[in-house]
Amino acid sequence: MRQVLSFEKPIHELKDKIAELKKMAAGSELELDAEISRMESRLKKLELDIYHSLTTWDRVQIARHPDRPTALDYIGELFTSFVELHGDRLYRDDPAIVSGIAKYKGVPVTIIAQQRGKNTKDNLFRNFASPHPEGYRKALRQMKLAEKFNRPIISLIDTKGAHPGKGAEERGQGEAIARNLLEMTDLTVPIIAIVIGEGGSGGALGIGLADSVQMLENATYSVISPEGAASILWKDAALAEKAATSLKITAKDLKALKIIDEIIPEVKGGAHRDLSMQAAYLDAYLESTFNRLRKIDKQTLIDNRWNKYNNLGGFTE
């Protein structure tokens, strides 16, 4: 059963009418070709108008679409010889973070990714892509191995945020994220981070401090969810749409603020419409960045990374 996003309803209603006319024409001698052609032209214009004027909240809905490609979908499309490595060697394996080694264009790389579930059972197993501290420690273990064997790191971000439960806090959630940020600043291998869905707060930053940060066109990246911000600011989660606009969480907003480096275009209507085509779009940007960063010597790479984050933001007196 397809899920129709609220802003797409006029498109799907028109598509249903066209399908109905085609069915009528096939089963009778009615001359409906001209009417069908007119409605198809109207559909193209409608899609153009809607998809070129998406609001921030529309993009939030796309980023959260249940059929949106996950990290493992992109790993399957873009990389070869992927071998997943498990566990943090301290507590347990965290399925919310998938990590391992693979080849990209024949070059060995380390992949660290946040993985959503495809259904309720899978989401429960993956904890809805909200990592525990052992997930971040597993990620750090892979980062240090990548540095040891001189493998570039590719990070795929897709989380509402780190798990906020009591157990996670008892095991050092904040320390685990902070440790990753500290260690990533000095890694001597290239790091590329790509926000493929939702990039939520410290949960995203724990694997997101990178030499190049890219976002899919309809992804979001924010210090807090729109619902959380609305609850804090106006004591009403129902005002999430208003909060989303104020937070500046879209790729376009963040590119203007120089928080991210590149916006990766999406298939019309969202990445969930065509995984193969979306992977090709992502691949083009990834390959260009990958080849550029691999040419930079280790010390310059670290210096550039420090300067990148030191220069973020600003203040006035």
Side-chain angles (χ1 to χ4, degrees):
M1 184 177 179
R2 72 187 182 190
Q3 175 167 328
V4 179
L5 301 178
S6 58
F7 64 89
E8 292 181 308
K9 286 181 180 178
I11 293 173
H12 286 278
E13 288 172 358
L14 188 52
K15 282 183 176 180
D16 289 343
K17 289 179 181 178
I18 292 170
E20 187 178 342
L21 282 179
K22 287 181 176 180
K23 186 177 180 180
M24 287 174 59
S28 70
E29 296 181 357
L30 294 172
E31 293 291 337
L32 298 174
D33 290 351
E35 179 63 14
I36 291 170
S37 179
R38 184 184 70 79
M39 292 182 74
E40 287 177 335
S41 296
R42 182 181 162 199
L43 176 63
K44 288 180 181 179
K45 184 178 184 305
L46 182 62
E47 287 183 326
L48 192 66
D49 290 343
I50 288 176
Y51 291 132
H52 279 73
S53 58
L54 293 174
T55 66
T56 297
W57 190 245
D58 292 337
R59 295 189 192 278
V60 170
Q61 292 183 69
I62 295 175
R64 293 174 173 177
H65 198 288
D67 296 330
R68 190 169 178 84
T70 67
L72 283 174
D73 290 327
Y74 289 119
I75 290 170
E77 291 283 329
L78 298 172
F79 303 95
T80 57
S81 306
F82 176 63
V83 177
E84 186 175 355
L85 302 175
H86 297 271
D88 67 342
R89 300 298 185 265
L90 290 171
Y91 184 68
R92 65 161 187 141
D93 184 52
D94 184 359
I97 287 187
V98 170
S99 65
I101 55 177
K103 288 186 177 179
Y104 178 67
K105 312 294 184 185
V107 180
V109 297
T110 288
I111 299 171
I112 298 168
Q114 289 155 335
Q115 176 63 27
R116 289 185 296 105
K118 291 282 191 177
N119 50 48
T120 301
K121 182 179 178 181
D122 197 19
N123 263 318
L124 290 171
F125 173 66
R126 300 286 181 185
N127 199 37
F128 296 86
S130 292
H132 291 78
E134 47 271 21
Y136 292 106
R137 292 180 178 125
K138 173 171 69 171
L140 179 58
R141 187 168 73 87
Q142 300 308 322
M143 292 176 200
K144 300 304 282 186
L145 280 173
E147 183 176 47
K148 180 178 180 179
F149 294 104
N150 198 34
R151 293 192 297 258
I153 297 167
I154 298 170
S155 173
L156 302 177
I157 296 170
D158 189 7
T159 181
K160 292 181 183 295
H163 185 65
K166 180 182 177 182
E169 295 297 337
E170 289 175 339
R171 296 192 300 279
Q173 183 72 286
E175 188 278 337
I177 293 171
R179 175 67 59 183
N180 282 18
L181 295 175
L182 175 65
E183 297 286 354
M184 292 178 85
T185 58
D186 283 334
L187 288 177
T188 58
V189 293
I191 310 169
I192 301 171
I194 305 170
V195 185
I196 60 172
E198 292 183 272
S201 192
L205 287 177
I207 63 168
L209 194 152
D211 301 296
S212 177
V213 181
Q214 305 177 356
M215 277 181 72
L216 296 193
E217 183 181 359
N218 294 314
T220 60
Y221 197 16
S222 174
V223 68
I224 191 172
S225 71
E227 291 83 359
S231 296
I232 293 170
L233 293 174
W234 304 297
K235 312 299 181 187
D236 186 357
L239 296 175
E241 184 172 349
K242 177 182 177 182
T245 303
S246 300
L247 284 167
K248 305 293 183 186
I249 63 178
T250 68
K252 185 177 179 181
D253 291 329
L254 295 166
K255 182 70 163 60
L257 292 168
K258 299 182 180 180
I259 302 296
I260 66 166
D261 302 289
E262 298 282 355
I263 299 174
I264 301 173
E266 286 197 29
V267 176
K268 183 174 66 176
H272 58 283
R273 294 297 184 85
D274 191 328
L275 171 60
S276 295
M277 185 176 291
Q278 187 58 57
Y281 289 165
L282 195 157
D283 190 30
Y285 280 77
L286 177 57
E287 183 176 17
S288 174
T289 306
F290 186 78
N291 291 335
R292 174 176 60 82
L293 292 176
R294 287 182 66 219
K295 296 175 183 177
I296 301 174
D297 68 85
K298 292 181 179 181
Q299 189 56 54
T300 303
L301 193 72
I302 293 172
D303 291 343
N304 289 347
R305 195 181 301 146
W306 271 94
N307 291 332
K308 172 184 173 65
Y309 287 94
N310 281 335
N311 292 328
L312 285 181
F315 66 91
T316 56
E317 293 184 356

